[in-house]
Amino acid sequence: MDYFRNIGLIGRLGSKGVVDTLKQLIRFLNDQGLHAVLDERIAELMPGHGQQVCKQKMMGEICDLVIVVGGDGSLLGAARSLAQSHVPVLGVNRGNLGFLTDIAPAEIEQKVAEVLEGKYTVESRFLIDVLVKRNGEPIGEITALNDCVLHPGKAARMIEFELYIEGQFVYTQRSDGLIVSTPTGSTAYALSGGGPIMHPKLDALVLVPMFPHTLSSRPIVVDGNSELKLVISERNETYPTVSCDGQNSVTCAPGDTITIHKKPHKLKLLHPLNYDFYQTCREKLGWGAKLGD
């Protein structure tokens, strides 16, 4: 256990189950002689915890490992905060689906102990940066691990926009919007929009139109290093929104441009040794089990 000495703990707010699991983790880590560091927001819900506290963004600077307790949404937020620091992240599922947070609360001590002993696999998941410009000037910059979504916001009206990939014009589309998803996000919103499931190791992006005006508009898979540009048509009467991971957003205006490209820093995601992406798909998506099982 020489490598992981300082363990950051992040938890989803508003859940007693998360707080109970964090208390269990603190006791376990202290018994192992390790140093727990609590995210300041969850620490406020645990008076008398006696542990070091810091801002989530600082955890990458002082921790060797960060454990996120919650659902995939909690891990998405942590990923955006921590990717630049390269600190490895481990997820404990206290949410619903749990494609990213794959340790169950019942096996937390066993699985965390195995990880601390070096028994784990490492995945690199890339993120995307989204830049919105108005009259050539930046008005907003946000990051996503799952997806970037152009949508009408509160107004249920179609959006007209142009799509460029690597500077090449692709099409003008009228639709409810567009989902640009990483492989990580392909099992999230893009899946419900009719997009393909992409293996996490793929270096690719998928573009999924949302209720397009033409039935010939279909998802497109492009190289992960592609630069994408969306140009909001001047003819739009509405002000659409661009959202990242469903958590951060920027309101756009007719004529704005949205540029999307891969972030240089990747998320270092740890899994227990028995992690199996296809098994996770079977469990979470209800795929058929092996005959005879």
Side-chain angles (χ1 to χ4, degrees):
M1 297 189 186
D2 289 339
Y3 179 64
F4 299 132
R5 301 295 304 171
N6 300 305
I7 317 294
L9 298 177
I10 295 172
R12 179 164 60 89
L13 301 175
S15 168
K16 182 181 181 300
V18 166
V19 171
D20 290 343
T21 298
L22 285 169
K23 288 178 179 177
Q24 180 187 1
L25 264 174
I26 290 170
R27 286 193 301 269
F28 174 73
L29 294 173
N30 288 341
D31 288 345
Q32 303 293 322
L34 301 176
H35 181 214
V37 181
L38 287 182
D39 174 22
E40 64 177 8
R41 289 176 297 179
I42 199 74
E44 293 176 2
L45 305 178
M46 303 168 62
H49 55 77
Q51 310 301 310
Q52 182 179 349
V53 175
C54 77
K55 292 182 182 294
Q56 192 172 123
K57 285 190 175 181
M58 287 301 300
M59 279 193 172
E61 307 301 320
I62 62 177
C63 295
D64 308 311
L65 170 70
V66 173
I67 301 176
V68 179
V69 180
D72 284 353
S74 305
L75 201 140
L76 291 173
R80 293 192 302 270
S81 297
L82 300 171
Q84 195 157 338
S85 66
H86 304 292
V87 64
V89 177
L90 181 69
V92 175
N93 188 18
R94 270 290 189 176
N96 294 316
L97 270 181
F99 271 92
L100 298 170
T101 50
D102 49 14
I103 295 178
E107 57 182 12
I108 185 169
E109 292 190 14
Q110 174 197 341
K111 295 299 182 183
V112 170
E114 290 175 3
V115 169
L116 294 173
E117 291 166 3
K119 298 174 183 175
Y120 57 83
T121 59
V122 184
E123 275 188 342
S124 289
R125 302 285 186 99
F126 72 83
L127 297 87
I128 49 178
D129 280 329
V130 181
L131 177 64
V132 181
K133 287 187 176 182
R134 184 167 300 160
N135 300 320
E137 295 296 323
I139 65 162
E141 188 167 6
I142 43 181
T143 298
L145 174 62
N146 263 359
D147 48 42
C148 160
V149 182
L150 175 67
H151 59 94
K154 295 178 181 178
R157 302 188 66 171
M158 281 197 165
I159 307 167
E160 184 177 79
F161 60 90
E162 295 177 346
L163 169 66
Y164 295 82
I165 301 176
E166 288 291 282
Q168 292 185 309
F169 174 70
V170 181
Y171 54 53
T172 297
Q173 185 178 105
R174 293 188 72 240
S175 66
D176 280 8
L178 184 72
I179 305 167
V180 178
S181 172
T182 66
T184 300
S186 69
T187 51
Y189 193 33
L191 182 63
S192 63
I197 293 174
M198 297 193 291
H199 192 279
K201 290 184 180 178
L202 279 176
D203 188 358
L205 292 166
V206 63
L207 290 74
V208 182
M210 298 167 62
F211 301 102
H213 205 50
T214 55
L215 295 177
S216 58
S217 293
R218 290 289 183 263
I220 302 174
V221 180
V222 300
D223 185 275
N225 294 303
S226 302
E227 181 181 85
L228 313 179
K229 185 169 77 170
L230 308 177
V231 182
I232 311 297
S233 171
E234 296 275 9
R235 296 188 294 186
N236 280 298
E237 296 179 1
T238 57
Y239 282 62
T241 299
V242 60
S243 300
C244 283
D245 292 342
Q247 297 177 344
N248 296 318
S249 61
V250 175
T251 300
C252 302
D256 286 357
T257 64
I258 303 161
T259 305
I260 304 163
H261 57 82
K262 184 190 289 183
K263 193 177 186 68
H265 310 98
K266 293 185 178 182
L267 170 68
K268 192 174 179 182
L269 188 62
L270 303 191
H271 296 289
L273 285 179
N274 64 346
Y275 172 75
D276 180 340
F277 173 70
Y278 300 112
Q279 179 183 344
T280 303
C281 289
R282 287 195 301 275
E283 292 174 354
K284 310 301 181 184
L285 303 177
W287 290 357
K290 193 174 181 181
L291 294 177
D293 285 356

